[in-house]
């Protein structure tokens, strides 16, 4: 019988709602400092989130042709500087306490640790952003909770490509049927399912309209005793919190074969 050995967490949107008040605001501040005259509204950013990776998102925005480029724009070196500055601002916002963990995330991580179930991270964002978020929102020593922190440019292609989940599985040295993935976005779900990993999607305002038909279970969030989640797809309707037993039940339901 399939035994749960690891829970693999996405970061942005899954551990915390980082995009709206974190990355998006930081992108806009970096654009303003460089006097680019660009601004990503909440609605526009929701569309741009289909492009995984901050550098890739800026490249896509420029390629669309709607972004005026200044005369002194030096192409890729400027883009990389802009992205680096965005990440500095993002990490400052984390330090200022602008971003919090989503319900149930810490509870499920602590339960996994107490039962010897490994934890891993598979994110499109950079390793430094992922580690900064974990240290700030969980604790300075918390990166050591994770057997693998797979992030950003460690792989050639970002979500929805399967690369980051393939990398994580190989680093864990586990089979898909021994793991459960927690995601928040359609590209993330597609990436994990392409590796035959079972996926629980936790929605939020930015991703609610996306296509989650490939996710095994869809819930509003992971749930707490005093803040129950609502089941939107797949899981037993009575479920109010995602526990280790629920993750085990998902594996036993044969999710990977679907
Ligand atoms: C979400 C992303 C990231 C962030 C920005 O990643 O697509 O690109 O928006 O991060 P995930 P970077 O949900 O996989 O955690 O600018 O560092 O790419
Ligand atoms: Mg995400």
């Amino acid at each position: 019988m399939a035994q749960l050995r690891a829970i693999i967490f996405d970061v942005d949107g899954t551990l915390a709602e980082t995009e709206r008040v974190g990355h998006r605001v930081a992108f806009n501040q970096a654009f303003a400092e460089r006097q680019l005259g660009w601004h990503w509204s909440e609605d526009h950013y929701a569309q741009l989130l289909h492009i995984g990776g901050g550098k890739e998102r800026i490249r896509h925005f420029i390629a669309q042709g709607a972004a005026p480029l200044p005369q002194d724009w030096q192409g890729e070196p400027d883009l990389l500087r802009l992205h680096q500055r965005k990440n500095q601002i993002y990490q400052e916002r984390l330090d200022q306490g602008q971003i919090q963990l989503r319900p149930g995330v810490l509870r499920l991580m602590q339960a996994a640790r107490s039962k010897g179930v490994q934890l891993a991270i598979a994110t499109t964002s950079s390793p430094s952003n992922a580690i900064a978020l974990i240290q700030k929102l969980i604790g300075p020593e918390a990166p050591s909770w994770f057997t693998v922190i797979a992030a950003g440019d460690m792989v050639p292609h970002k979500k929805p490509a399967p690369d980051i989940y393939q990398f994580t599985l190989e680093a864990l040295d586990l089979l898909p049927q021994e793991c459960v993935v927690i995601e928040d976005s359609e590209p993330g779900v597609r990436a994990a399912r392409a590796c035959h990993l079972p996926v629980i999607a936790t929605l939020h305002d930015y991703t609610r309209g996306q296509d989650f038909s490939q996710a095994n279970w869809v819930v509003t969030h992971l749930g707490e005793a005093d803040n129950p989640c609502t089941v939107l797809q797949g899981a037993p309707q009575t479920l109010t919190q995602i526990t280790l037993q629920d993750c085990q039940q998902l594996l036993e339901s044969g999710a990977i074969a679907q």
Side-chain angles (χ1 to χ4, degrees):
M1 190 202 297
Q3 181 66 41
L4 179 70
R5 306 233 177 263
I7 303 179
I8 308 172
F9 286 87
D10 167 54
V11 172
D12 293 299
T14 298
L15 299 189
E17 294 202 31
T18 52
E19 298 290 6
R20 191 187 308 271
V21 296
H23 290 294
R24 186 189 70 90
V25 176
F27 275 117
N28 283 332
Q29 191 178 322
F31 298 161
E33 286 177 6
R34 180 67 177 79
Q35 298 182 321
L36 290 168
W38 307 348
H39 180 84
W40 288 351
S41 68
E42 292 196 5
D43 286 351
H44 188 188
Y45 194 66
Q47 292 161 23
L48 290 168
L49 278 177
H50 285 97
I51 307 295
K55 295 190 289 287
E56 291 79 358
R57 199 166 295 140
I58 302 171
R59 261 184 225 121
H60 168 84
F61 178 65
I62 294 171
Q64 281 181 322
L69 287 170
Q71 294 237 312
D72 63 347
W73 182 256
Q74 290 166 11
E76 196 64 13
D78 245 340
L79 187 149
L80 295 178
R81 267 193 296 276
L82 191 63
H83 183 249
Q84 202 172 32
R85 178 65 189 134
K86 183 280 288 182
N87 280 347
Q88 276 177 356
I89 300 165
Y90 171 75
Q91 292 186 22
E92 286 163 16
R93 290 183 71 75
L94 268 176
D95 286 340
Q96 290 159 6
Q98 311 260 11
I99 297 161
Q100 276 105 44
L101 281 183
R102 294 193 67 194
V105 168
L106 188 58
R107 174 188 55 72
L108 186 59
M109 285 182 180
Q110 285 171 331
R113 276 165 58 74
S114 74
K115 295 289 180 202
V117 173
Q118 296 183 74
L119 296 173
I121 292 288
T123 176
T124 291
S125 191
S126 65
S128 68
N129 281 349
I131 289 168
L133 183 139
I134 290 164
Q135 285 181 323
K136 180 67 195 172
L137 302 191
I138 304 177
E141 80 303 339
S144 68
W145 293 11
F146 298 86
T147 312
V148 180
I149 297 182
D153 298 326
M154 287 181 185
V155 292
H157 303 108
K158 295 198 168 142
K159 302 171 189 175
D163 303 30
I164 199 78
Y165 281 107
Q166 198 56 51
F167 179 97
T168 306
L169 271 177
E170 283 167 20
L172 286 168
D173 197 19
L174 292 176
L175 298 168
Q177 61 267 34
E178 296 174 312
C179 307
V180 166
V181 168
I182 314 292
E183 263 287 353
D184 75 303
S185 72
E186 179 187 346
V189 170
R190 283 170 54 199
R193 292 299 293 140
C195 295
H196 307 286
L197 283 154
V199 180
I200 301 174
T202 57
L203 301 200
H204 52 83
D205 284 351
Y206 255 167
T207 57
R208 194 153 289 138
Q210 296 182 358
D211 176 5
F212 285 98
S213 54
Q214 285 194 44
N216 301 95
W217 291 358
V218 183
V219 290
T220 47
H221 50 76
L222 294 175
E224 299 280 12
D226 60 354
N227 183 12
C229 64
T230 302
V231 173
L232 304 171
Q233 180 180 306
Q237 288 293 324
T238 49
L239 196 148
T240 55
Q241 297 180 65
I242 302 287
T243 64
L244 285 186
Q245 290 77 4
D246 296 315
C247 294
Q248 178 65 41
Q249 193 190 330
L250 175 57
L251 295 187
E252 289 171 15
S253 71
I256 30 149
Q258 291 160 19

